[in-house]
Amino acid sequence: MSKTYTNPETIGLHAGWRKDDNTNSVAVPIHQTTSYQFDNTDHAANLFALSELGNIYSRIMNPTCAVLEDRIAALEGGVGALAVASGQAASAYAIQNIAKNGDNIVASSHLYGGTYNQFKNVFSDMGIEVRFVDPSDPQNFADATDDKTRAYYGEVLPNPSFEVFPISEVADIGRPLGIPLIVDNTAAPVICKPFDHGAAVVIHSTTKFIGGHGTSIGGIIVDSGNFDWEAFPERQPALNNPDPSYAGAVWTEAVKPLGPIAYILKARTTILRDMGAAMSPFNAFMFIQGLETLALRMREHSSNAQKVSEYLSSHDSVERVAYPSQMDGYAKDRADKYLSKGNGALMGFEIKGGVEAGKKFIDALEMLYHVANIGDSRSLAIHPASTTHSQLNEEELLSAGVTPGYVRLSIGLEHVDDIIADIDQALAKI
Ligand code: PLP
C-alpha cells in the first residue's frame, strides 16, 4: 500500500491492504493460525528482540487483525493500533499500559455503565484509583490531578447523556503536565476525529458501529503518535523506566527507530501478551467488512436519528430529548465543535409518566429490538435504569445522566418513516 487516503469512505475500503501476494485474493483472508514458521533462528531472535517486526504468535499479532489495525489507525489518523477481544479489554489495557498499583487516573463520570464498573471496582481492587469528575467543567480534571495521575479518560459521545466530551479543553490541561487524554470514540467513529482535537489515544468497542451488524464482540486501541511520553519521565514511568517484563527495555528509547509507537507497541508486547484478551481473526474479518460501509452508515444513521429527534421533540408524551443537535448552551457548542459529520445514531428521551410509561413504551415496540446493544444496522431500544446501568446507585445514576423514565434509542438503517411509525404506535399505547 503506497498511497495514503484521507477520506473515511476510501480508507474503509483501501487502507492497509491491496491483495494477497500469493493468491491475488482481494478480500482480506482469515488467517486462522496460532503460529508462524520462523525463517531461521536469527529471524526468530530478531522478532523476539523487536529489532525486526513480524508475526510470532496469534495472541500477540495476526495478519487479519493487522489489516483491521492499520485501517482503523488510518481512519482515526493515528500511527498504530492494537485489536483486542472486546471494548472492555480495550479500556482496561489502554490504562493498564501506563498505570499501576498506587497510580490514579481522572475520568469523566459520563461513561458507559460497564466502563464505570470496570473503573470503580476492578481498577480499585488492582490499586488504580479512578477519580470521577463532571465533564461539563474541564477544570474539574485539573482539580483532581496529582503527581500520580497517569491519564485523563472520557467518552466522546457519552452514553446515555450524549453531551459531547470537551476533548481539546481537557487535552490542553493534560498535555503540559505529561498527562495523555484517552477517549472512547465508540459512538462517534467518522463523525468525530479526536486526534484532531488533541486526544493522545482513542479506544473503540468495535462491537458497535465498526462491526455495524450486531455479530461480533471486539475492541481496539489507537495510538495518535502525537504524545511526547519521553518528555515526562517522572509522570510516565511505565514508558521511560527499564521494564522488567521485557528484559529491561526502556520503551521510549527501544522503539525510537520504529517511529512514535512506544505506547502501542508496549501494549501489544506486554499487556496483551500477558493478559491475553486477543481478537480472533474471524472477528477481525467481520469488522473489516463493517469498515467498508462505516462512513456511509454513519451518514445514514445520523440523518435518520436527526428526523427521529425532531419527531420526538414535538410529541406531547415526551418530556425531553437528549440528542446533540437538540441541546443548548455548552452541550450544543461542543456538539457543533466536535461532531463534524452528523450527530450519530444514539439518543435518549424521557417519557411523561416515568418508569412505568418507559417500560410500557419498550414493551409496545414491534419493529425496534429491545436489546443491550448500540450501533447495529437495526433500530434498538432499552431502558438503562433497569438494565445497562442497574448496578449503579441513585446518585451514580444521576451523575451518569440516567433518570428513571429514560429510554435510549440506537437509530438504525431502516426507512425513517418505518422507524417513526413504530415509535409512534408504541407512544400511543402508554
Ligand atoms: N464503550 C462503550 C461506549 C460501549 O457502549 C461499550 C459497550 O456497550 C463498551 C465500551 C464495551 O464494549 P464491549 O461490549 O465490546 O466490551
Side-chain angles (χ1 to χ4, degrees):
M1 253 285 303
S2 50
K3 193 160 166 49
T4 304
Y5 298 101
T6 53
N7 294 307
E9 293 82 356
T10 314
I11 289 171
L13 289 159
H14 291 287
W17 175 260
R18 181 67 186 168
K19 66 173 177 69
D20 180 68
D21 285 342
N22 293 326
T23 63
N24 284 355
S25 158
V26 171
V28 179
I30 302 172
H31 290 275
Q32 196 68 30
T33 182
T34 56
S35 34
Y36 307 85
Q37 165 79 1
F38 302 121
D39 296 341
N40 49 50
T41 48
D42 283 346
H43 177 224
N46 288 343
L47 293 180
F48 276 89
L50 298 179
S51 55
E52 195 179 321
L53 291 182
N55 296 317
I56 298 174
Y57 186 61
S58 277
R59 177 165 15 95
I60 313 168
M61 72 283 278
N62 172 278
T64 311
C65 296
V67 175
L68 179 75
E69 290 163 347
D70 286 352
R71 213 160 262 191
I72 295 182
L75 187 75
E76 289 289 8
V79 292
L82 177 64
V84 291
S86 66
Q88 290 294 101
S91 56
Y93 290 5
I95 291 159
Q96 284 177 300
N97 199 32
I98 49 174
K100 66 177 176 50
N101 185 4
D103 294 340
N104 69 71
I105 67 162
V106 182
S108 164
S109 60
H110 287 205
L111 293 178
Y112 160 62
T115 311
Y116 187 84
N117 286 335
Q118 178 184 84
F119 286 3
K120 181 162 175 272
N121 301 308
V122 180
F123 273 19
S124 84
D125 287 349
M126 294 187 317
I128 299 172
E129 183 196 352
V130 181
R131 302 174 173 183
F132 295 99
V133 298
D134 178 351
S136 59
D137 183 359
Q139 181 60 28
N140 291 335
F141 281 79
D143 294 346
T145 300
D146 67 14
D147 288 350
K148 294 280 190 182
T149 304
R150 304 287 176 240
Y152 292 156
Y153 190 95
E155 244 175 63
V156 169
L157 189 50
N159 169 12
S161 79
F162 306 119
E163 287 184 10
V164 176
F165 186 81
I167 305 172
S168 67
E169 292 83 346
V170 174
D172 287 351
I173 292 170
R175 198 168 286 268
L177 302 173
I179 302 174
L181 172 63
I182 303 172
V183 289
D184 178 338
N185 199 26
T186 297
V190 178
I191 60 176
C192 179
K193 292 193 67 183
F195 294 156
D196 290 352
H197 305 289
V201 174
V202 159
I203 71 135
H204 285 275
S205 164
T206 52
T207 312
K208 315 298 179 190
F209 292 97
I210 289 173
H213 299 80
T215 62
S216 317
I217 301 283
I220 199 156
I221 306 169
V222 191
D223 186 346
S224 65
N226 72 18
F227 196 81
D228 192 354
W229 305 96
E230 202 175 2
F232 301 95
E234 283 171 18
R235 173 71 71 184
Q236 298 298 343
L239 287 169
N240 286 293
N241 289 350
D243 186 345
S245 98
Y246 219 99
V250 174
W251 290 101
T252 45
E253 285 169 18
V255 168
K256 214 173 266 177
L258 303 171
I261 59 168
Y263 171 89
I264 203 71
L265 194 64
K266 175 183 181 294
R268 181 186 298 282
T269 51
T270 63
I271 305 289
L272 180 61
R273 179 197 65 180
D274 299 343
M275 303 300 282
M279 180 182 284
S280 84
F282 181 78
N283 281 6
F285 173 82
M286 296 301 281
F287 296 131
I288 289 167
Q289 307 317 301
L291 275 184
E292 295 196 350
T293 55
L294 178 66
L296 302 185
R297 285 187 286 108
M298 291 312 292
R299 208 178 295 156
E300 198 64 15
H301 278 300
S302 298
S303 153
N304 278 355
Q306 177 62 32
K307 289 175 193 149
V308 173
S309 77
E310 287 163 11
Y311 158 82
L312 286 171
S313 300
S314 61
H315 198 290
D316 286 346
S317 306
V318 174
E319 191 90 49
R320 103 190 141 89
V321 176
Y323 187 64
S325 64
Q326 303 284 354
M327 294 182 181
D328 44 36
Y330 71 85
K332 178 71 165 61
D333 294 344
R334 286 177 192 163
D336 291 344
K337 177 173 175 186
Y338 293 117
L339 302 181
S340 55
K341 292 186 171 176
N343 290 291
L346 308 180
M347 73 183 66
F349 68 103
E350 181 85 27
I351 303 181
K352 288 180 186 159
V355 183
E356 283 316 307
K359 283 183 169 173
K360 266 194 197 162
F361 169 78
I362 295 269
D363 287 336
L365 289 168
E366 291 171 359
M367 185 184 79
L368 272 71
Y369 281 91
H370 178 203
V371 296
N373 194 23
I374 56 171
D376 200 312
S377 43
R378 301 155 193 86
S379 292
L380 316 173
I382 200 160
H383 179 231
S386 59
T387 55
T388 51
H389 288 64
S390 58
Q391 314 302 321
L392 276 57
N393 65 34
E394 213 163 292
E395 194 188 327
E396 290 166 341
L397 280 175
L398 279 180
S399 89
V402 179
T403 46
Y406 186 86
V407 171
R408 187 190 72 204
L409 301 176
S410 177
I411 298 300
L413 305 175
E414 301 94 343
H415 194 286
V416 69
D417 292 350
D418 296 326
I419 301 171
I420 291 176
D422 194 34
I423 294 173
D424 195 59
Q425 65 79 26
L427 281 175
K429 289 188 182 136
I430 57 175

